[in-house]
Amino acid sequence: MQPIEKESVQRQLQTFFNKEVYVHLETTNGAYASHFNEKVMTVGAFIRNAKVHIKQGKITGDHPYRVGLEMEIGWVYAEGLTDWELNNQGQLLLAGHDFEGRLAVALQLSETPFA
């Protein structure tokens, strides 16, 4: 992965507009959380291969970044994104890594289901 370049990511996001695509979205502090500190709450969310129709979307912010994707009846939103790549299957992979390089958030789009 490489650091996000807003214009490049926006161009890639646009290739998924007005199509049914598969979304992977996850957030985590799971293995990185302090499970023995009652003042730290462990949180996470995970969805894989949700099939959605994306109407439009945009990347905003100044490192870390936010991506919002408008669907027919709602939104998908990810914040804290730092890195991206377009893999050889045409899947757009966006991730947010903390200062130690650990994954905190991932948003991925594909025209085919994720393995």
Side-chain angles (χ1 to χ4, degrees):
M1 298 193 102
Q2 60 189 349
I4 285 179
E5 300 166 2
K6 280 172 68 170
E7 296 79 18
S8 298
V9 170
Q10 184 64 46
R11 279 194 300 276
Q12 292 304 320
L13 284 173
Q14 289 173 282
T15 67
F16 294 96
F17 294 177
N18 300 309
K19 296 180 181 178
E20 285 198 341
V21 299
Y22 295 89
V23 173
H24 170 85
L25 176 63
E26 71 177 284
T27 63
T28 185
N29 69 357
Y32 319 133
S34 176
H35 298 286
F36 303 106
N37 181 342
E38 68 229 19
K39 295 181 182 178
V40 176
M41 182 172 66
T42 302
V43 298
F46 183 91
I47 185 169
R48 188 158 183 89
N49 288 323
K51 193 173 184 181
V52 300
H53 181 93
I54 297 175
K55 292 173 60 176
Q56 65 174 333
K58 188 172 184 178
I59 182 168
T60 63
D62 291 311
H63 198 277
Y65 300 92
R66 297 174 297 280
V67 169
L69 302 171
E70 183 182 9
M71 302 176 299
E72 292 178 342
I73 59 170
W75 286 82
V76 171
Y77 178 85
E79 185 168 0
L81 300 166
T82 58
D83 302 288
W84 81 291
E85 75 177 37
L86 185 68
N87 70 14
N88 57 9
Q89 289 95 24
Q91 297 171 328
L92 178 59
L93 311 177
L94 301 165
H97 297 98
D98 70 11
F99 296 110
E100 296 179 27
R102 300 175 300 194
L103 181 67
V105 61
L107 173 63
Q108 302 173 351
L109 301 175
S110 177
E111 292 188 36
T112 58
F114 293 97

